[in-house]
Amino acid sequence: MNPSNATPENNATSLADVSTAWPSLEDTLRVLTLRAGFNTNTVVAGATLLGLAAGVVGVFALLRKRSLVTDALSHATLPGIALAFLAATALGYTGRSLPVLLTGAAVTGVAAIACIQLILKHTRLREDAAIGIVLSVSFGAGVVGLSYIQSNAAANAAGLSKFIYGQTAAMSVADATFMGVIAAAAIAAALLLHKEFALVCFNDAFAKVGGWPVAAIDLAMMTLVVLVTVAGLQAVGLILVVALLIIPAVAARFWTQRLSRLLVLAGALGALSGYLGATASALLPRQPAGAVIVLTAGTIFTISMLFAPRRGVIANTARHARLRLRIAGEHLLEAAHDHARDHPHTPHLDRATRYSIARQRGWHPAALAAITALLVARKRLATTRRGLTLTPRGAADGARVRRNHDLWTAYLIKHADVAPNHVDWSVDQVEHVLSTELIAQLEDELQTQPQTETRART
Amino acid sequence: MNLSIATDLFPLLAGILAALVCGLLGNFLVLRKLSLMGDAISHSVLPGLVIAFLLTASRNPLPMFIGATIAGVATALLTEAIKRFGKVDPGASMGVVFSILFALGVLLIEQAAARQIDLDADCVLHGQLETLVWYAAPDSINALFSTETLRDVPRQITTLSIALAAALAAILLLFKELRLAAFDPALATALGFNATALHYLLMILVAAATVASFEAVGSILVIAMLVCPAATARLLTDRLPAQLWVSAAAAVAAATLGYLASIAIPAALDKPAVNAAGSMTLAAGAILTAAILISPTHGVLARAIRRQRLARTVAKEDLLATLYRAQENGQHEVTTTLLKAVTGRSLAATIQDAQRQNLLTIHKGNAALTPQGTHAARQLVRKHRLWEHYLVGKAGIAPDHVHDTAERLEHTNIEPATAQSPATDPHGRHIPPPA
């Protein structure tokens, strides 16, 4: 930290004092509909296109499990920028020329990926270590290079370090056009090489056996990643461009299982992040666009992770809870069935019996109450004066679960060579998910009376 | 190159301390395939630092330390949560968490800057080693060893010393547990050590080391020192205690050499010194590269030499076995042109090898085994045919499928166990008796 030169009064401010002048709805609409002046339009359009390209390309990086390789790649662009600047200055050109700097960035970025592959191939170090080594050493080289340039270069070298954090607001028309070209290239490649990319992403061993040039296809994918990273350096900086490559792809993954939809969705979410983030940063004072774009993407990610209908956390948790409840209900019906069979004169479940079942199953009394209530509501159990009794449907369900249990037990003992005193636990898990076909097949194959097993148990 | 106590002692000391604490902790990260957790944590402590700074409105190190440690542990927790509940690839979930937190930190810094509070994201990355100047430095080295000097020690060095002491204490006290959790977390849990608790203890230590280090040396050196010394040690030894010592030595060497190089190399070119933390990172990378190349056990060179030696032995043995089989067919000399078809390796070198060991003689372009060579070849062919016998009899492989396997196994020291010495192999050929 730099020694603070702030006065005590300024230091006395706290988070609560943050008061931002909120823009009017009119202003907001103007920026959103690209009517807010040429410069703002350029920035918003450029950020949107970058988000689009990064989203599409990020999908391949995610599916190839290379998300963090892109992190090493983006850090490794810094020494390239420094070297390109030094080389260009030494040759008598102006070192600030953007194409020169970005070429240098791309070269060292690719070299970093090659280094990671070399370390993985020739040493016992694992991928995480290889990425960390390349990332930190190359970034250290970049820092050394920048400090050398800052203290030595005669020409004005200020602004090289903007590649670390990016400078969205300074985006020029040429930059935005560059983003457009990269986005077009990414989309064209994703369309033209869709089949090849899908093959390599999902089963590279199969692709290799099938005679596909896996290395070349991989190279094409990584080239796209390098292009997007280099394009994003200017706009959002080398640390946050990784976020644009990773986050939209991961967010889109929650919504779909199909590659084509995943590509469209990741591109759309990336573009939306760029669009909304750049807009917000244009409207609010002192909001660095790169950070706002990433935080927008982060918000989209959080929403996706929580609320996506099939793979989202809430949907998953609910599905899981429903399954557990169903299994618990079936266990209770099974226990009630056994109880009624063994005590024909007192077939009802009184309080003590219910608690002893709960203890065996490890249920909390509250869970027992919930399961009982559910079964009563589903008309599987009925409340009587002396306790709970099975309704006809409940009795049928209980008998079915018991029969499944016995069939599977008999099968395991007879065909899978499992010791009789070891089968019970695993059967408890499986008895709920046996399909009718499988049960028919089991009955056919075993040709046994499952009751014999039942009697042995009692 | 002139080093002075005033300008160089504290920066060098801070660099060494930071390298040591990170280098030691890094061993457990590298073993648990968590190297990048250091990278993630050092990015994501930024919002913790800034929030603590904004809340307390002071540079008091304790709240900033607590804020950053909370952010660091939150990174580990959130990564785990996204990985488990969202079923996301571990690398991607780490990337999501640290990039979002870093963006939050950058945004908060801008907010702070709006109120003329000077928090610079740059120095979080590169550190401020060069500012640790000791204005009241004594002139002689002897004057250093007095209680007076302790008062002048800057806060960064005190913080780093405390972090190092904490890391050392944890490693010494929990060595057995950390070792077990590093190699086999499931076994550790089964034996009653809480591997999850150990994991988060490690995360807290890493976060604390990160925070303590980067005011002085910047997060880039932290990331490098969490990985490079441990990786270096991993290539040089297979035992954890030795690995800890080697990594500590590598870390200290990287910090010292890097610091000296940052002054000496530009000075040789008549330029001002470059960034010391970056230079230390490069030194760590250079030491690691050296280990990758010349480690006696796992180095690239050593392995290439071992492979080369093995290839020579195999080629020589194949040559001898071929000559022996020709002898069995009554052909006591073989033209070298025919031999060329057998050995994959350059024939001339192989023949020279064998000649030098007095295993064969060359007469007018024909090769013949010496008695010594016959003896060696007989043992080889015996092993080959015993293996064929074993593979057909015990492993149930068809007789026409065993040759290639036996061809490889004959070069090992292992002879298959047989109840009684069989006289012939599955192809009906005679198995030579043992020597």
Side-chain angles (χ1 to χ4, degrees):
Chain A
M1 305 290 134
N2 286 333
S4 173
N5 52 11
T7 57
E9 299 91 87
N10 280 331
N11 268 349
T13 50
S14 74
L15 260 193
D17 297 339
V18 177
S19 53
T20 310
W22 289 101
S24 66
L25 185 63
E26 228 171 287
D27 282 346
T28 313
L29 276 177
R30 228 179 43 227
V31 178
L32 281 174
T33 52
L34 296 182
R35 285 182 286 125
F38 190 68
N39 283 338
T40 314
N41 288 351
T42 311
V43 171
V44 172
T48 311
L49 289 168
L50 175 66
L52 174 66
V56 172
V57 170
V59 168
F60 299 122
L62 174 72
L63 292 179
R64 288 292 277 162
K65 300 201 189 327
R66 294 239 173 91
S67 298
L68 287 177
V69 174
T70 64
D71 194 24
L73 160 70
S74 71
H75 279 80
T77 55
L78 194 62
I81 290 169
L83 279 179
F85 180 87
L86 286 173
T89 317
L91 292 172
Y93 298 101
T94 161
R96 308 261 337 249
S97 142
L98 193 60
V100 173
L101 296 182
L102 294 187
T103 310
V107 169
T108 47
V110 171
I113 297 178
C115 279
I116 294 176
Q117 297 301 334
L118 279 177
I119 292 178
L120 286 180
K121 192 171 168 201
H122 291 292
T123 74
R124 69 200 308 218
L125 299 173
R126 309 259 186 48
E127 191 177 28
D128 62 313
I131 293 175
I133 290 161
V134 171
L135 181 154
S136 59
V137 174
S138 54
F139 196 69
V143 169
V144 168
L146 282 193
S147 78
Y148 179 81
I149 289 169
Q150 267 153 16
S151 55
N152 292 300
N156 172 23
L160 280 192
S161 59
K162 79 173 180 210
F163 288 109
I164 299 179
Y165 296 105
Q167 242 182 9
T168 318
M171 204 185 283
S172 68
V173 178
D175 296 339
T177 318
F178 187 39
M179 309 283 178
V181 173
I182 303 277
I187 292 167
L191 282 178
L192 289 174
L193 298 173
H194 183 272
K195 183 179 65 185
E196 286 79 2
F197 283 179
L199 193 59
V200 172
C201 280
F202 291 113
N203 197 342
D204 54 351
F206 174 72
K208 202 171 262 172
V209 172
W212 291 93
V214 173
I217 296 170
D218 227 9
L219 188 70
M221 279 194 261
M222 283 323 277
T223 309
L224 286 176
V225 175
V226 172
L227 278 177
V228 170
T229 309
V230 168
L233 283 183
Q234 262 258 327
V236 294
L238 62 86
I239 298 176
L240 292 181
V241 71
V242 179
L244 277 185
L245 279 165
I246 299 178
I247 300 176
V250 178
R253 190 70 187 81
F254 283 110
W255 298 93
T256 175
Q257 307 262 38
R258 299 200 60 83
L259 180 62
S260 47
R261 280 183 217 152
L262 184 62
L263 287 169
V264 173
L265 202 57
L269 292 182
L272 186 67
S273 312
Y275 177 62
L276 293 179
T279 307
S281 125
L283 288 168
L284 302 170
R286 288 214 160 265
Q287 306 284 351
V292 179
I293 292 171
V294 173
L295 288 176
T296 313
T299 313
I300 293 176
F301 164 80
T302 312
I303 293 171
S304 304
M305 175 166 161
L306 291 179
F307 301 110
R310 291 178 63 89
R311 297 168 56 93
V313 169
I314 291 177
N316 250 335
T317 314
R319 203 168 39 239
H320 202 73
R322 269 204 301 278
L323 181 66
R324 283 184 56 171
L325 209 58
R326 201 197 92 200
I327 289 178
E330 291 190 355
H331 277 145
L332 187 60
L333 290 179
E334 186 184 13
H337 166 87
D338 290 359
H339 181 80
R341 184 196 56 203
D342 299 340
H343 306 87
H345 302 297
T346 54
H348 57 272
L349 292 177
D350 57 18
R351 204 178 165 75
T353 320
R354 289 205 300 272
Y355 275 97
S356 105
I357 293 169
R359 225 181 0 264
Q360 272 176 22
R361 290 282 170 199
W363 295 332
H364 192 268
L368 175 69
I371 297 160
T372 318
L374 188 79
L375 290 178
V376 171
R378 295 237 171 112
K379 303 215 168 11
R380 297 300 195 273
L381 290 176
T383 329
T384 63
R385 212 155 37 78
R386 298 165 64 192
L388 293 167
T389 50
L390 286 164
T391 64
R393 281 163 77 188
D397 278 359
R400 178 178 56 80
V401 177
R402 164 51 59 199
R403 186 173 168 72
N404 284 357
H405 184 114
D406 294 343
L407 273 172
W408 193 246
T409 308
Y411 174 80
L412 284 184
I413 293 172
K414 192 169 174 194
H415 290 287
D417 249 358
V418 180
N421 53 352
H422 275 57
V423 285
D424 206 46
W425 181 82
S426 71
V427 172
D428 253 3
Q429 315 280 310
V430 175
E431 65 192 19
H432 312 282
V433 288
L434 297 179
S435 65
T436 31
E437 292 88 358
L438 186 62
I439 291 166
Q441 199 185 337
L442 283 176
E443 285 174 337
D444 221 35
E445 240 170 68
L446 292 167
Q447 296 284 319
T448 54
Q449 306 301 317
Q451 278 80 6
T452 49
E453 205 274 332
T454 311
R455 259 179 231 126
R457 274 168 59 90
T458 53
Chain B
M1 179 177 59
N2 287 318
L3 294 177
S4 79
I5 293 177
T7 54
D8 297 315
L9 178 67
F10 284 150
L12 185 56
L13 197 57
I16 290 176
L17 286 173
L20 256 183
V21 61
C22 295
L24 285 173
L25 291 175
N27 286 301
F28 299 100
L29 291 182
V30 168
L31 285 175
R32 292 205 62 181
K33 296 184 220 166
L34 286 171
S35 312
L36 289 169
M37 199 44 107
D39 175 33
I41 286 179
S42 59
H43 280 93
S44 56
V45 289
L46 191 61
L49 276 179
V50 185
I51 289 173
F53 182 61
L54 288 173
L55 284 178
T56 60
S58 78
R59 266 171 198 285
N60 188 343
L62 191 64
M64 288 176 85
F65 187 81
I66 293 171
T69 310
I70 291 174
V73 175
T75 312
L77 283 171
L78 284 173
T79 303
E80 188 63 30
I82 291 178
K83 190 175 86 185
R84 186 183 305 165
F85 298 117
K87 299 187 180 71
V88 175
D89 169 60
S93 57
M94 196 183 280
V96 168
V97 173
F98 83 74
S99 56
I100 291 177
L101 285 176
F102 188 78
L104 186 66
V106 171
L107 192 76
L108 288 171
I109 282 186
E110 282 297 314
Q111 301 295 314
R115 280 171 283 133
Q116 286 111 42
I117 298 170
D118 189 20
L119 254 182
D120 186 3
D122 266 352
C123 79
V124 173
L125 284 179
H126 321 153
Q128 299 261 300
L129 263 186
E130 289 79 358
T131 61
L132 290 176
V133 177
W134 191 2
Y135 293 106
D139 298 326
S140 73
I141 300 211
N142 289 337
L144 276 179
F145 303 101
S146 73
T147 46
E148 301 262 305
T149 53
L150 275 180
R151 269 182 302 161
D152 287 345
V153 170
R155 192 187 68 230
Q156 288 92 328
I157 295 206
T158 321
T159 320
L160 277 169
S161 309
I162 296 171
L164 180 60
L168 279 178
I171 291 174
L172 287 176
L173 288 175
L174 297 172
F175 182 73
K176 185 180 58 189
E177 289 81 356
L178 281 169
R179 167 155 69 178
L180 194 54
F183 289 104
D184 196 340
L187 178 65
T189 308
L191 288 178
F193 305 116
N194 192 336
T196 319
L198 278 172
H199 172 72
Y200 284 106
L201 174 72
L202 189 60
M203 290 299 121
I204 290 174
L205 285 172
V206 170
T210 309
V211 183
S213 303
F214 76 38
E215 192 175 357
V217 298
S219 62
I220 190 61
L221 184 65
V222 172
I223 301 171
M225 289 303 171
L226 281 172
V227 191
C228 292
T232 307
R234 184 105 179 84
L235 293 171
L236 292 173
T237 171
D238 289 333
R239 303 201 55 82
L240 187 57
Q243 191 184 320
L244 288 172
W245 284 111
V246 174
S247 65
V252 172
T256 316
L257 292 177
Y259 189 78
L260 296 180
S262 78
I263 299 169
I265 294 175
L269 302 167
D270 256 346
K271 306 274 177 164
V274 293
N275 183 288
S279 173
M280 291 176 182
T281 310
L282 283 180
I287 293 174
L288 175 66
T289 313
I292 288 177
L293 292 179
I294 60 172
S295 157
T297 43
H298 302 287
V300 172
L301 280 179
R303 286 201 314 191
I305 291 171
R306 270 204 302 276
R307 255 201 310 273
Q308 186 72 9
R309 276 209 197 115
L310 181 65
R312 278 169 83 150
T313 312
V314 168
K316 187 189 75 196
E317 292 183 350
D318 283 346
L319 182 66
L320 295 182
T322 310
L323 287 169
Y324 183 83
R325 290 196 178 99
Q327 252 180 28
E328 279 186 329
N329 295 338
Q331 189 186 355
H332 288 273
E333 288 190 336
V334 178
T335 62
T336 45
T337 21
L338 194 68
L339 282 175
K340 202 155 217 151
V342 190
T343 53
R345 229 173 97 81
S346 137
L347 183 68
T350 314
I351 289 180
Q352 266 176 14
D353 270 5
Q355 267 183 311
R356 210 177 303 127
Q357 292 166 23
N358 201 20
L359 295 171
L360 63 79
T361 54
I362 300 281
H363 184 65
K364 287 183 189 164
N366 287 334
L369 289 170
T370 63
Q372 219 179 326
T374 314
H375 176 78
R378 188 182 291 131
Q379 292 318 304
L380 272 168
V381 172
R382 169 181 161 78
K383 217 188 287 174
H384 180 98
R385 291 181 182 162
L386 275 178
W387 270 119
E388 289 192 334
H389 178 83
Y390 175 87
L391 287 171
V392 171
K394 294 276 164 58
I397 302 173
D400 54 345
H401 273 60
V402 291
H403 177 78
D404 288 342
T405 315
E407 189 71 13
R408 280 199 298 278
L409 287 168
E410 71 182 22
H411 302 295
T412 63
N413 291 325
I414 317 155
E415 211 171 83
T418 41
Q420 64 266 22
S421 260
T424 55
D425 72 1
H427 310 292
R429 289 194 202 90
H430 172 65
I431 296 181

